[in-house]
Amino acid sequence: MRFHNTGGSPARSGTVTFATHVIGALGVDWATIESAQPLPAPIPAGAARTGTYTVCVDAWRVPLGMRIETQDVTASWT
């Protein structure tokens, strides 16, 4: 993912939160599992930084015939 700091001061630290949805065979959203990772900081003002993340979900949360999709990502920084 690419994070671009459009503010006037550096982002010194922060968190990236992923909302991964468990989707049933018929497209029904059965659950949302959140996981968080550190932001690739510091990010100077006006600069961009790239981070790579692995999102894991316990196998028992995804029964046979279901799939997972990470649909929402939010970032908060200081």
Side-chain angles (χ1 to χ4, degrees), residues 16-29:
V16 179
T17 304
F18 301 92
T20 302
H21 298 257
V22 179
I23 309 294
L26 299 176
V28 176
D29 191 339

Side-chain angles (χ1 to χ4, degrees), residues 4-12 42-47 77-78:
H4 188 87
N5 182 355
T6 59
S9 60
R12 291 179 175 78
I43 305 173
W77 51 90
T78 56

Side-chain angles (χ1 to χ4, degrees), residues 3-57:
F3 300 94
H4 188 87
N5 182 355
T6 59
S9 60
R12 291 179 175 78
S13 64
T15 304
V16 179
T17 304
F18 301 92
T20 302
H21 298 257
V22 179
I23 309 294
L26 299 176
V28 176
D29 191 339
W30 288 95
T32 302
I33 298 140
E34 289 192 352
S35 58
Q37 296 289 327
L39 189 70
I43 305 173
R49 180 82 35 107
T50 301
T52 302
Y53 300 92
T54 300
V55 176
C56 296
V57 176

